[in-house]
Amino acid sequence: MSINSAMLAGVSGLISNSSALAAISDNIANVNTTAYKRKQVNFANVVTSQAVKGRYSAGGVQAVTRQFVSQQGLIQSATSATDLGIAGDGFFVVSSKGTGMLPGDPRLFTRSGSFSVDADGFLVNDAKLYLQGWPIAADGTINDSPSDLTRMTSINIKNLGGAVKATENVVVNANLDKTQVVSGAEATYVAGEMAAYAATGVASATATQPDFDKLEMNIVDSSGGTHRIQVALLKSDTPANTWHAEIYAVPASEIAGATDGLITSGMVNFNADGSLNLTASGGTTLFGPAGSPVQLSIGASTDVAGVRWAAGLGIKASAISLDLSKLTQYADTSAVNSINPDGATVGNVVGVEVGEDGVVSATFDNNEVRRIAQIGLATFPNSDGLLAVSGNAYRATIASGEFSVKYPGEAGAGEIAPGALEASAVDLSAEFTGLITTQKAYSASSKIITTADQMLEELINIKR
């Protein structure tokens, strides 16, 4: 009966508009939710078979829910360095637990990048979802995969232990006095005598006091221990503008395989204008033809031959590049301007940084920075087909297609914005307008039911 179908059509209108109201309510309630994607209920008509000519049977309306996951929210600055926004396509890979992840445990996808460090050192967002990333090995390699999420682990910045960086480079900036009077002991000087003087503190026939020995530097070994290396210089008169140089350890007992802690010796050559002669060659110069730095190779205590650390120290070999290219010889007092060695003693984690390339780095109180993880962004052929779950996250579905995890900014993936968050995609003006139209449509559907009821009442009253 057409009147019955009209009443049922009115009921379908009430149900569909109720769904629309629920979606609008969700949108308004999440106007301040990080990276929230709005939902919308669209309407589709239902057509029934018109079996009898001249009569019409109402089919009503059905509600179709649509989500706008691919809609980009505004990137806004945040106060924390671990707040991460995504400008472009892609999702963070997250999990519901930090440790004990099994291959069968589900991984979720989210754009809610409000991450912070929890008590156990994991990066978690406001929904307590743990950020996943590819671990970075000590040699800088990354075992990544675009489709195997089990290679990712929950990122932890506190269970790293201390950080140590052995000294690899030292840059020396100093001046040697051109007017320095040549020492009387220079005529009989033999390499190693300045190291002998440093060891004994007394000048003798076999221990020559240097003209300048203030080039001292602390180097760090592989275990975080510090050692003092000294460069001593003695002016030579044959040829002019040359200096004898010795590099030795203080105390001498730290070096084995050489006398008085001597590591290496040679000549330093200057040009007539006081600049260092980087092209000087010969077996006794401390510089090669290209002016390359002095390479101090101090072997481990187990080395068979050559200069090495004393066995009692029990440390690894050291390869140090000593750059003396900024050494000058002017008619001014011999002085050290600066000595800049790299390397760092044992340090503890004091912070975390995330780069635009998605690399998570831990910073230590010894100014050392260690790269610990690489964030990957998962992309989908149809992100609007993802299944929403609690915590502003999503699961992959058949409609969304297979994911592919990529480096930020590569192959269509968006870029990570550190210290920023993606705002909710809800437009309040559009939602309040939708409230008005939904309310009116609901009232109109209710009128269909009351009108059909009145017509049925008239039909019943015919018998009277």
Side-chain angles (χ1 to χ4, degrees):
M1 188 178 193
S2 297
I3 296 178
N4 287 335
S5 67
M7 183 175 290
L8 294 175
V11 172
S12 69
L14 293 178
I15 295 174
S16 296
N17 282 286
S18 296
S19 297
L21 178 63
I24 294 172
S25 301
D26 243 359
N27 292 339
I28 295 176
N30 286 279
V31 68
N32 289 320
T33 301
T34 301
Y36 176 80
K37 305 302 180 182
R38 62 182 295 269
K39 278 79 173 176
Q40 179 175 300
V41 173
N42 296 332
F43 300 99
N45 67 314
V46 178
V47 178
T48 61
S49 176
Q50 309 300 326
V52 180
K53 186 177 180 179
R55 295 184 182 181
Y56 186 86
S57 178
V61 66
Q62 63 178 353
V64 179
T65 303
R66 182 182 176 188
Q67 56 182 0
F68 297 87
V69 181
S70 58
Q71 184 176 351
Q72 173 75 54
L74 181 66
I75 300 296
Q76 299 176 324
S77 61
T79 57
S80 173
T82 55
D83 284 334
L84 308 176
I86 300 176
D89 193 15
F91 299 81
F92 298 112
V93 182
V94 293
S95 67
S96 58
K97 59 183 181 181
T99 58
M101 288 290 294
L102 301 174
D105 289 334
R107 272 73 169 179
L108 303 176
F109 307 94
T110 185
R111 290 177 66 94
S112 179
S114 53
F115 295 103
S116 60
V117 181
D118 69 2
D120 297 319
F122 291 101
L123 285 176
V124 297
N125 66 8
D126 294 337
K128 301 305 178 185
L129 296 175
Y130 295 81
L131 179 62
Q132 304 291 292
W134 295 303
I136 299 179
D139 60 359
T141 58
I142 302 174
N143 184 22
D144 57 3
S145 172
S147 59
D148 186 3
L149 296 183
T150 61
R151 297 190 186 182
M152 288 183 154
T153 60
S154 299
I155 299 175
N156 190 298
I157 66 162
K158 289 190 176 179
N159 296 333
L160 302 176
V164 172
K165 177 177 173 56
T167 299
E168 297 178 350
N169 300 279
V170 181
V171 179
V172 175
N173 186 337
N175 178 66
L176 301 179
D177 190 357
K178 182 177 177 61
T179 64
Q180 174 71 46
V181 177
V182 177
S183 170
E186 192 273 339
T188 59
Y189 164 79
V190 176
E193 291 184 358
M194 286 186 281
Y197 176 81
T200 62
V202 179
S204 66
T206 57
T208 301
Q209 182 175 1
D211 292 326
F212 187 67
D213 61 355
K214 303 303 182 184
L215 294 177
E216 301 177 359
M217 61 209 73
N218 290 324
I219 66 168
V220 180
D221 63 34
S222 58
S223 64
T226 58
H227 309 274
R228 186 153 65 97
I229 300 295
Q230 195 161 352
V231 181
L233 298 115
L234 178 70
K235 190 173 183 183
S236 173
D237 199 27
T238 53
N241 298 325
T242 60
W243 294 68
H244 300 284
E246 294 182 12
I247 304 175
Y248 49 84
V250 179
S253 58
E254 291 191 344
I255 294 295
T259 304
D260 297 319
L262 182 66
I263 298 172
T264 188
S265 62
M267 301 293 294
V268 176
N269 305 271
F270 293 93
N271 298 311
D273 63 358
S275 62
L276 192 67
N277 186 351
L278 295 176
T279 61
S281 61
T284 59
T285 183
L286 282 179
F287 291 88
S292 57
V294 183
Q295 301 298 324
L296 304 182
S297 298
I298 309 175
S301 58
T302 56
D303 289 349
V304 176
V307 177
R308 58 191 183 274
W309 293 112
L313 296 176
I315 56 178
K316 293 176 63 177
S318 294
I320 305 167
S321 179
L322 179 59
D323 186 355
L324 299 174
S325 61
K326 293 180 174 59
L327 213 57
T328 59
Q329 181 192 242
Y330 296 138
D332 195 6
T333 304
S334 295
V336 176
N337 296 320
S338 64
I339 298 179
N340 298 314
D342 61 8
T345 55
V346 181
N348 298 310
V349 178
V350 293
V352 59
E353 298 176 354
V354 182
E356 294 181 356
D357 56 357
V359 174
V360 181
S361 303
T363 57
F364 295 78
D365 55 11
N366 59 358
N367 297 321
E368 189 68 14
V369 179
R370 182 187 297 177
R371 300 165 72 245
I372 59 174
Q374 169 70 57
I375 297 174
L377 296 182
T379 61
F380 294 85
N382 175 31
S383 56
D384 289 341
L386 291 167
L387 175 65
V389 297
S390 295
N392 201 14
Y394 302 91
R395 294 184 189 273
T397 65
I398 295 177
S400 68
E402 287 293 329
F403 65 83
S404 179
V405 186
K406 307 168 183 176
Y407 285 78
E410 296 183 6
E415 297 181 349
I416 290 181
L421 289 173
E422 182 181 0
S424 172
V426 173
D427 183 353
L428 279 179
S429 60
E431 300 303 326
F432 283 126
T433 301
L435 273 180
I436 296 172
T437 57
T438 300
Q439 181 185 18
K440 294 300 182 182
Y442 190 90
S443 298
S445 295
S446 67
K447 281 296 183 182
I448 295 174
I449 297 174
T450 57
T451 301
D453 178 60
Q454 291 172 0
M455 293 176 68
L456 287 173
E457 185 67 26
E458 289 295 330
L459 181 61
I460 293 172
N461 289 335
I462 287 176
K463 184 179 179 181
R464 297 178 184 176

